[in-house]
């Protein structure tokens, strides 16, 4: 039972929809203010919802009332000045045709958690799940998971209504583990109700989470314009995207127009495909572990009736992405490996007699190919019988798989603003205490991550009307074969981009997870400690706790005597500590290029680390610079010293 306290009401900002009203009218309160919600304390709030256009709606929050009129778009917004922590209360909306009520609402601190699969990973899949779930009941900790959704344009409402739930054995198992453990820790330290909103999608790049303004800030307005075109006219958008892809191919390969692999009579080393399914399962040695591009071909014959007009082309699941042509003409791209692809074939492409279908499939990891099922693969003309496409395919491994193939901006995990539009924009302008962000694996080796992260943070702050909104960024955990020599690591570059983005933003902090990784699992199960570290960052940023917002980090590197390099650190608590050794592991000196990097001895002296020179040129220091680095340097809290690269000063 919550302690009763006096509620002081005065509120402002949010959006999407929850409860249905009486009868068949459209009155509803947006789900962010639904039953069991937490609204941000000590902030103004605008209760939003839907109602018949032009109708008067009276909204009450714990006794205070406002009457507003729904706009032409059927949306209403009632602003109240302020809500402080206190006992549960109701939010009610009334109109002449109905009434809706959200029960058991609390004022407290609200957090948004977002990212890809390591943020999405549920409590039930993390370590010690049974024990943590069994003791998870807390009526003042409220959880909401935003369902996956893709949208071409920012939505006012959710495609599927999310619900607030009190923490307990029924709600916690399917909730984000990192977000839950952070929120649970903050419940203990802040002593107020906590609301945690999880909005993540496994495998997603950062670009789908960036709104149109963020895209413009990083020079990606052309893709935003293409997305807008697709929203207005999907067929025109697909034609433009196909032209973009075909132009990229010719530029990357040197193929002249009319001689590309998607032409009906293209000369390639065609071989009969053993089956519909992943090519790794074909028992073809060169494809057993192949990640790259494969072309597929299927001839089929149509009658004059079948060739007349449009058709639907069902290709099953294309993993990871696929693009199709019929008779040399583009018919679209399957951009979502999670679901079957059906493309519209415009009138005029099909012809009576022989037709040639070409499909290009690119697989970036795990298994790839035409996954089927074969029974679902068919061409379904507007007139005449369907043509089965579940067998009779030939394949040819691409002679080259050029990097950087353009993706359609309306895809899910690699799109442009699509997840922002469907999963962040509908949250509205509610006030938040902070945002936890755990993403980056899918952006490895894509330049400019620090700029994209900065643009995304600025864009989300604009949406929520909080220019100083706190962001806690998880620096990627270790993954892969433990390092035995210096390497040119894409994961290390991504971690450095995360660090640089935090250094440049005084309202952002870093939760280093470098020591929490698993060399065999990209989804490490230790999420409790990660949650505690995220909560620590939030305490520094959102509660002004006197601790470093980025934990212990290198502050400077300068040349010392006898060829040494002296490293100084900030944010160290309790001094530097070594584990299992007398020297610090993972420090490198580098010359002008990455091939010059080499491990060097490193000794700890107080809050400094002294690197022993080897007489070779040294311009930079790198630390823990590997996909999965071996390192043993911590402070007294204990937190690991975070990975970094920095120039050596004089």
């Amino acid at each position: 039972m919550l302690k009763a306290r006096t509620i002081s009401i005065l509120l402002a900002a949010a959006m999407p929809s929850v409860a249905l009203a009486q009868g068949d009218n459209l009155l509803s309160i947006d789900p962010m203010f639904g039953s069991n919600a937490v609204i941000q304390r000590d902030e103004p709030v605008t209760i939003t919802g839907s109602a018949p256009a032009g109708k008067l709606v009276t909204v009450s929050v714990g006794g205070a009332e406002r009457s507003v009129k729904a706009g032409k778009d059927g949306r209403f917004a009632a602003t109240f000045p302020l809500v402080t922590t206190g006992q549960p209360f109701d939010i009610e909306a009334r109109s002449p045709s109905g009434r809706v009520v959200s029960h058991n609402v609390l004022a407290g601190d609200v957090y948004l958690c977002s990212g890809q699969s390591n943020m999405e990973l549920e409590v039930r899949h993390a370590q010690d799940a049974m024990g943590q779930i069994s003791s998870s009941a807390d009526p003042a900790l409220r959880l909401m998971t935003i369902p996956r959704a893709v949208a071409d344009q920012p939505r006012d409402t959710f495609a599927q209504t999310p619900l607030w739930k009190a923490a307990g054995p029924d709600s916690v198992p399917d909730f984000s583990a990192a977000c839950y453990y952070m929120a649970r820790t903050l419940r203990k330290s802040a002593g107020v109700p906590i609301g945690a909103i999880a909005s993540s999608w496994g495998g997603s790049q950062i670009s789908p989470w960036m709104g149109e303004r963020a895209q413009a800030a990083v020079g990606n307005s052309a893709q935003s314009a293409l997305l807008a075109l697709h929203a207005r006219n999907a067929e025109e958008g697909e034609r433009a995207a196909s032209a973009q892809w075909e132009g990229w191919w010719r530029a990357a390969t040197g193929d002249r127009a009319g001689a590309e692999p998607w032409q009906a009579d293209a000369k390639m080393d065609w071989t009969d495909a053993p089956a519909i399914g992943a090519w790794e399962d074909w028992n073809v040695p060169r494809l057993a572990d192949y990640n790259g591009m494969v072309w597929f071909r299927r001839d089929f014959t149509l009658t004059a009736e079948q060739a007349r007009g449009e058709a639907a082309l069902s290709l099953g699941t294309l993993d990871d992405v696929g693009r199709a042509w019929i008779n040399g003409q583009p018919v679209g791209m399957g951009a979502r490996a999670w679901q079957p692809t059906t493309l519209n074939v415009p009138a005029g492409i099909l012809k009576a007699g022989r037709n040639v279908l070409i499909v290009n499939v690119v697989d970036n990891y795990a298994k790839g190919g035409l996954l089927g099922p074969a029974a679902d693969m068919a061409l379904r003309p507007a007139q005449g019988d369907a043509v089965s496409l579940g067998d009779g395919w030939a394949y040819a491994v691409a002679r080259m798989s050029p990097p950087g193939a353009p993706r359609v901006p309306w895809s899910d995990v690699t799109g442009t603003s699509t997840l922002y539009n469907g999963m962040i924009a509908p949250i509205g302008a509610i006030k938040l205490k902070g945002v936890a962000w755990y993403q980056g694996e899918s952006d490895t080796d894509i330049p400019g991550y620090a700029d994209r992260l900065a643009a995304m943070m600025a864009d989300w702050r604009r949406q929520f009307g909080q220019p100083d909104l706190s962001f806690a960024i998880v620096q990627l955990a270790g993954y892969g074969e433990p390092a035995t020599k210096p390497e040119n690591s894409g994961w290390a570059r991504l971690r450095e981009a995360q660090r640089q983005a935090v250094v440049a933003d005084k309202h952002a902090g870093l939760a280093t997870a470098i020591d929490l990784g698993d060399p065999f699992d990209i989804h490490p199960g230790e999420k409790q400690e990660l949650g505690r570290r995220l909560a620590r960052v939030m305490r520094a940023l959102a509660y002004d706790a006197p601790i470093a917002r980025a934990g212990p980090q290198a502050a400077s590197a300068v040349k010392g005597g006898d060829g040494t390099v002296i490293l100084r650190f900030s944010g160290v608590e309790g001094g530097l500590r070594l584990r299992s050794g007398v020297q610090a592991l993972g420090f490198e000196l580098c010359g002008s290029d990455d091939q010059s990097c080499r491990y060097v001895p490193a000794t700890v002296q107080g809050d400094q680390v002294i690197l022993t020179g080897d007489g070779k040129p040294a311009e930079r220091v790198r630390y823990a610079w590997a996909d999965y680095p071996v390192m043993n340097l911590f402070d007294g809290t204990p937190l690991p010293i975070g990975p970094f690269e920095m120039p050596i000063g004089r």
Side-chain angles (χ1 to χ4, degrees):
M1 188 72 179
L2 294 174
K3 290 183 178 179
R5 295 179 188 166
T6 303
I7 305 176
S8 162
I9 297 189
L10 301 157
L11 293 106
M15 78 199 262
S17 130
V18 194
L20 292 177
Q22 300 168 355
D24 57 1
N25 70 79
L26 301 176
L27 182 64
S28 65
I29 298 173
D30 285 344
M32 309 315 297
F33 309 106
S35 292
N36 303 310
V38 178
I39 59 175
Q40 183 58 45
R41 61 183 173 132
D42 302 326
E43 290 278 359
V45 164
T46 300
I47 305 300
T48 54
S50 297
K55 296 296 184 182
L56 190 67
V57 180
T58 299
V59 180
S60 66
V61 179
E65 279 193 356
R66 301 285 187 276
S67 292
V68 294
K69 187 176 291 188
K72 294 180 179 179
D73 59 354
R75 302 285 297 157
F76 70 83
T79 299
F80 297 77
L82 193 74
V83 172
T84 61
T85 53
Q87 62 188 18
F89 56 90
D90 289 348
I91 298 174
E92 180 185 276
R94 303 187 307 275
S95 74
S97 57
R99 170 178 174 268
V100 287
V101 182
S102 297
H103 299 289
N104 193 29
V105 179
L106 291 171
D109 290 339
V110 183
Y111 290 90
L112 172 62
C113 302
S114 188
Q116 58 181 110
S117 54
N118 267 303
M119 182 61 86
E120 191 175 39
L121 186 136
E122 302 94 335
V123 172
R124 61 190 170 89
H125 290 143
Q127 289 180 2
D128 191 28
M130 290 184 63
Q132 300 304 316
I133 290 169
S134 65
S135 60
S136 61
D138 182 349
L141 175 56
R142 310 289 177 80
L143 312 175
M144 172 186 276
T145 298
I146 305 299
R148 288 182 172 186
V150 178
D152 283 0
Q153 296 293 293
R155 290 181 56 96
D156 287 338
T157 58
F158 290 102
Q160 181 181 345
T161 301
L163 300 174
W164 284 101
K165 299 178 181 179
D170 293 334
S171 60
V172 166
D174 294 327
F175 193 71
S176 159
C179 191
Y180 169 70
Y181 291 124
M182 178 191 76
R184 187 181 70 175
T185 303
L186 289 169
R187 267 280 296 136
K188 296 175 182 177
S189 62
V192 299
I194 297 289
I197 304 165
S199 183
S200 298
W201 193 314
S204 58
Q205 295 177 0
I206 193 173
S207 181
W209 297 103
M210 299 165 57
E212 185 175 355
R213 289 187 179 182
Q215 302 291 349
V218 296
N220 204 25
S221 293
Q223 287 295 88
S224 292
L226 185 54
L227 182 67
L229 174 62
H230 185 263
R232 295 192 302 271
N233 187 312
E235 192 170 300
E236 286 187 16
E238 187 54 66
R239 278 200 297 268
S242 294
Q244 182 187 70
W245 198 98
E246 292 175 1
W248 162 81
W249 174 268
R250 285 188 287 268
T253 64
D255 284 351
R256 61 178 177 80
E260 307 97 333
W262 58 82
Q263 301 297 340
D265 296 314
K267 304 299 181 184
M268 288 195 287
D269 187 16
W270 295 108
T271 304
D272 289 342
I276 293 299
W279 59 60
E280 289 87 352
D281 297 334
W282 284 354
N283 199 28
V284 176
R286 71 179 297 191
L287 294 176
D289 296 303
Y290 179 69
N291 290 324
M293 182 181 290
V294 174
W295 294 90
F296 291 87
R297 173 176 175 154
R298 177 64 155 79
D299 288 22
F300 59 93
T301 302
L302 298 178
T303 65
E305 180 187 24
Q306 290 171 311
R308 191 179 301 119
E310 298 181 346
L313 175 63
S314 298
L315 293 173
T317 300
L318 307 176
D319 194 344
D320 291 338
V321 294
R323 181 167 285 284
W325 295 259
I326 294 179
N327 301 326
Q329 298 298 311
V331 293
M333 183 177 191
R336 299 168 188 167
W338 334 99
Q339 63 188 47
T341 293
T342 297
L343 304 172
N344 179 63
V345 182
I349 289 181
L350 299 173
K351 59 185 180 180
R354 175 177 177 257
N355 293 261
V356 180
L357 168 61
I358 301 289
V359 179
N360 173 283
V361 175
V362 179
D363 177 47
N364 294 311
Y365 63 95
K367 293 185 177 183
L370 298 177
L371 304 189
D376 294 343
M377 300 172 66
L379 179 81
R380 297 180 174 83
Q383 304 178 70
D385 296 334
V387 178
S388 174
L389 299 175
D391 57 9
W393 289 85
Y395 77 93
V397 179
R399 56 184 169 84
M400 60 184 301
S401 298
R407 300 283 189 102
V408 292
W410 47 88
S411 67
D412 43 29
V413 297
T414 62
T416 299
S417 305
T418 47
L419 303 188
Y420 171 83
N421 292 340
M423 299 174 66
I424 299 298
I427 295 173
I430 66 170
K431 299 302 181 186
L432 300 171
K433 193 68 172 177
V435 177
W437 176 254
Y438 191 171
Q439 187 277 340
E441 298 94 331
S442 292
D443 280 71
T444 300
D445 295 324
I446 303 176
Y449 186 83
D451 292 337
R452 293 194 295 280
L453 180 55
M456 188 200 78
M457 290 191 290
D459 198 32
W460 288 21
R461 286 167 175 152
R462 186 181 300 111
Q463 171 176 330
F464 298 113
Q466 296 173 275
D468 58 352
L469 180 62
S470 301
F471 275 81
I473 310 301
V474 179
Q475 194 178 33
L476 297 187
Y479 170 64
E481 185 176 349
T484 58
K485 60 182 179 180
E487 61 183 52
N488 189 15
S489 166
W491 279 54
R493 287 193 298 272
L494 196 287
R495 293 186 193 108
E496 178 63 8
Q498 293 174 315
R499 188 183 76 86
Q500 293 290 353
V502 167
V503 167
D505 189 325
K506 64 181 181 180
H507 299 298
L510 199 65
T512 298
I514 192 66
D515 59 321
L516 303 180
D518 184 331
F520 305 106
D521 191 347
I522 199 170
H523 304 120
E526 178 46 278
K527 293 295 190 280
Q528 290 186 60
E529 175 59 20
L530 178 63
R532 284 190 286 267
R533 292 181 187 181
L534 282 167
R536 178 186 172 89
V537 174
M538 289 300 183
R539 286 176 56 225
L541 293 170
Y543 299 96
D544 297 322
I547 52 180
R549 62 186 174 92
Q553 295 285 331
S556 65
V558 297
K559 290 187 176 181
D562 301 324
T564 61
V565 175
I566 302 171
L567 294 171
R568 294 182 173 86
F569 297 83
S570 62
V572 174
E573 295 184 34
L576 294 174
R577 310 284 181 89
L578 287 172
R579 292 183 176 179
S580 302
V582 296
Q583 288 194 338
L585 304 177
F587 283 93
E588 304 172 33
L589 290 178
C590 303
S592 59
D593 55 52
D594 289 342
Q595 287 66 42
S596 66
C597 295
R598 65 275 183 194
Y599 292 131
V600 294
T603 58
V604 175
Q605 296 182 9
D607 283 353
Q608 299 180 352
V609 172
I610 310 300
L611 307 184
T612 302
D614 54 7
K616 298 178 181 179
E619 299 177 8
R620 294 172 291 139
V621 177
R622 300 197 313 195
Y623 172 65
W625 198 266
D627 292 359
Y628 189 93
V630 177
M631 33 77 69
N632 65 342
L633 186 60
F634 292 74
D635 74 358
T637 49
L639 287 174
I641 304 303
F644 67 89
E645 179 183 53
M646 67 173 47
I648 299 171
R650 296 185 181 276

